[in-house]
Amino acid sequence: MLISTKGRYALRILVDMAEHQSEHYIPLKEIAQRQGISEKYLESIVKTLVKGGILTGLRGKGGGYRLSRPPEQYTVGAILQMTEGSLAPVSCLEKDAAPCARAAGCRTLAMWQGLDKAIREYLDRFTIADLMQAEQPGDFYVI
C-alpha cells in the first residue's frame, strides 16, 4: 500500500481548512499558497471531497470551500479511503474483489486480513482535529 499525493494532500488541505475555518468560505487559492500545492491539482482533490460530503463549496464572489462538519468528525481512514479508493494491502481484500479460488487453502490470507484490519483501525484512530495538534498522538517505539 502506498498513499498517493492525492491522499496526502487531501489531509493537508483539511488540516489547513480546519486551522483557518470561520463563517466565511476559504478560497482555494489561499490554501494552495499556504500549502505550496498547485491550485489546479487541488481542484481535483477538492472535487472528490465535495462529492464525498467532506467539504461544501460556494461559487462566485466570497466563494470557496469549508468543512461540512467539525474536524473531530473526520477520520484519517475515511479521508484516505475516499481519496485512494482502497487501502487493502492485497487485491483479494479490496471491496469489490472477485472471490479467490484459492482462499480456502491460502496460508497467507489470515495474515493479510490481519494487516488490513490493523491499517484500518490505526488510521481510524486519528481525526483531522488530532492532526491539527503540534504533537500528534500515536505509538512511538524506541529500539
Side-chain angles (χ1 to χ4, degrees):
M1 174 189 71
L2 182 66
I3 304 298
S4 70
T5 56
K6 187 174 184 178
R8 295 191 322 266
Y9 288 2
L11 293 174
R12 285 174 51 187
I13 291 166
L14 294 173
V15 171
D16 183 283
M17 293 181 79
E19 290 174 339
H20 295 92
Q21 66 184 338
S22 68
E23 66 278 356
H24 303 288
Y25 287 83
I26 303 170
L28 200 57
K29 183 177 184 177
E30 289 181 13
I31 299 167
Q33 289 174 342
R34 283 193 296 262
Q35 294 300 314
I37 302 170
S38 158
E39 189 175 348
K40 187 78 170 164
Y41 190 42
L42 289 186
E43 287 174 3
S44 68
I45 297 169
V46 166
K47 183 179 178 181
T48 300
L49 298 173
V50 168
K51 186 177 178 183
I54 304 298
L55 298 178
T56 56
L58 179 67
R59 292 181 179 231
K61 186 173 180 164
Y65 298 91
R66 65 178 174 200
L67 298 175
S68 299
R69 299 186 309 267
E72 298 81 18
Q73 294 182 11
Y74 297 109
T75 67
V76 169
I79 301 304
L80 291 177
Q81 185 76 36
M82 181 181 301
T83 56
E84 298 297 320
S86 174
L87 298 175
V90 291
S91 60
C92 64
L93 295 179
E94 290 189 9
K95 185 179 177 185
D96 296 324
C100 177
R102 297 177 159 249
C106 182
R107 305 228 179 209
T108 61
L109 181 59
M111 179 208 44
W112 294 125
Q113 288 170 329
L115 178 59
D116 185 51
K117 181 179 177 190
I119 290 168
R120 284 184 284 107
E121 287 176 353
Y122 180 79
L123 293 174
D124 284 342
R125 286 193 300 183
F126 299 96
T127 66
I128 296 302
D130 294 328
L131 298 181
M132 292 170 62
Q133 305 303 314
E135 199 173 300
Q136 297 177 20
D139 298 329
F140 299 98
Y141 297 98
V142 178
I143 297 176

